Amino acid sequence: MVQTPATILAIEDEAPIRRFLRAYLEGRGFALLEATTGREGLSMAASHNPAVILLDLGLPDIDGLTVLSRLREWTQTPIIILSARGQENDKVAGLDAGADDYLVKPFGVGELEARIRVALRHAAKIGSSEEEAVFVSGDLRVDFAGRKVTVGGQEAHLTPIEFKLLTVMARHAGKVVTQVQLLREVWGRSATEQGHYVRVYVHQLRHKIEREPARPVHLKTETGVGYRLE
């Protein structure tokens, strides 16, 4: 049985980058659609239902964050921002607005493909009718139903908040999760100004799931942006 290639929509106005994306992604087995403006991108997203959207923020007609907000009004398709805006506040704004990931131009093609494949896996997991009961990464194992966490076969005794924080990260595995997202999902919307909650509990969690908390291999910091569970 021949597998249909995943369709990627690139909303990008720079022709050299579109040519670069087409040459690489089609060579890796993806199908690429191209939109050069925000309005064209919104239309193509609605008519072609792509598997992943690559979104530039500096579009000629509509700001990329506005395009992102409009897309999030009706679709949960994974969106990866590709932008020359590399400031931490730009990354946070994009991720908080609903992007799944953020790559700063220029970026490596291998990293882009890896991020696309993570987004595809995450979307497939969300679309599955039966949520996975266990998350495994290296020596870390999280049993959602049994509320049990083991590291190298040894049980890690987590507090309720630590367990909730870890399960949120596990459900977004491979993605950057911002501080605001974590506050909203773990502590509730009223806690979104309490950034120290996240820092304190991530510190505690690392001491229970990492062999070397100062050099974490599971729960990584994306400086100034948030955290990523590998």
Side-chain angles (χ1 to χ4, degrees):
M1 182 177 178
V2 177
Q3 186 175 5
T4 303
T7 299
I8 311 296
L9 170 61
I11 308 176
E12 168 64 66
D13 66 320
E14 295 184 49
I17 292 180
R18 293 199 309 275
R19 287 195 296 269
F20 163 75
L21 290 173
R22 176 173 292 280
Y24 182 78
L25 293 176
E26 291 189 345
R28 301 296 292 175
F30 297 101
L32 185 69
L33 299 172
E34 300 174 26
T36 59
T37 67
R39 290 186 180 85
E40 185 182 12
L42 289 168
S43 176
M44 292 182 73
S47 60
H48 290 80
N49 191 29
V52 175
I53 297 172
L54 306 179
L55 174 64
D56 179 27
L57 295 184
L59 298 169
D61 58 341
I62 308 174
D63 184 76
L65 288 179
T66 301
V67 175
L68 175 58
S69 296
R70 292 185 186 177
L71 287 168
R72 281 293 175 249
E73 290 174 359
W74 61 272
T75 181
Q76 290 304 307
T77 296
I79 299 173
I80 301 174
I81 291 175
L82 307 179
S83 177
R85 302 179 193 173
Q87 297 297 316
E88 290 173 359
N89 60 330
D90 292 317
K91 296 179 183 179
V92 171
L95 293 164
D96 279 341
D100 293 79
D101 217 330
Y102 196 116
L103 282 176
V104 178
K105 299 175 182 175
F107 48 82
V109 290
E111 183 176 14
L112 173 61
E113 183 181 1
R115 300 289 179 89
I116 288 173
R117 295 198 184 280
V118 166
L120 289 170
R121 288 196 298 271
H122 187 67
K125 188 181 298 184
I126 291 174
S128 173
S129 59
E130 190 173 310
E131 185 177 34
E132 287 187 7
V134 177
F135 169 83
V136 179
S137 177
D139 64 353
L140 174 65
R141 186 178 189 274
V142 183
D143 181 344
F144 296 118
R147 299 184 65 82
K148 183 178 180 180
V149 177
T150 57
V151 180
Q154 300 296 311
E155 184 171 0
H157 297 283
L158 307 188
T159 67
I161 290 292
E162 290 167 352
F163 183 78
K164 189 172 183 180
L165 176 61
L166 182 58
T167 56
V168 169
M169 293 301 304
R171 290 191 171 101
H172 294 287
K175 292 173 52 179
V176 179
V177 185
T178 68
Q179 178 173 282
V180 170
Q181 286 176 284
L182 288 171
L183 287 167
R184 188 183 299 129
E185 293 194 41
V186 178
W187 286 274
R189 292 184 177 276
S190 62
T192 52
E193 299 299 320
Q194 307 299 322
H196 63 284
Y197 288 2
V198 177
R199 293 190 294 275
V200 168
Y201 277 91
V202 164
H203 176 79
Q204 293 177 185
L205 188 56
R206 280 178 173 153
H207 276 78
K208 294 183 178 182
I209 68 168
E210 301 283 2
R211 295 188 182 278
E212 296 182 67
R215 294 192 293 177
V217 298
H218 298 300
L219 187 50
K220 301 288 189 67
T221 298
E222 295 283 342
T223 305
V225 181
Y227 301 91
R228 185 195 302 268
L229 186 66
E230 299 290 0

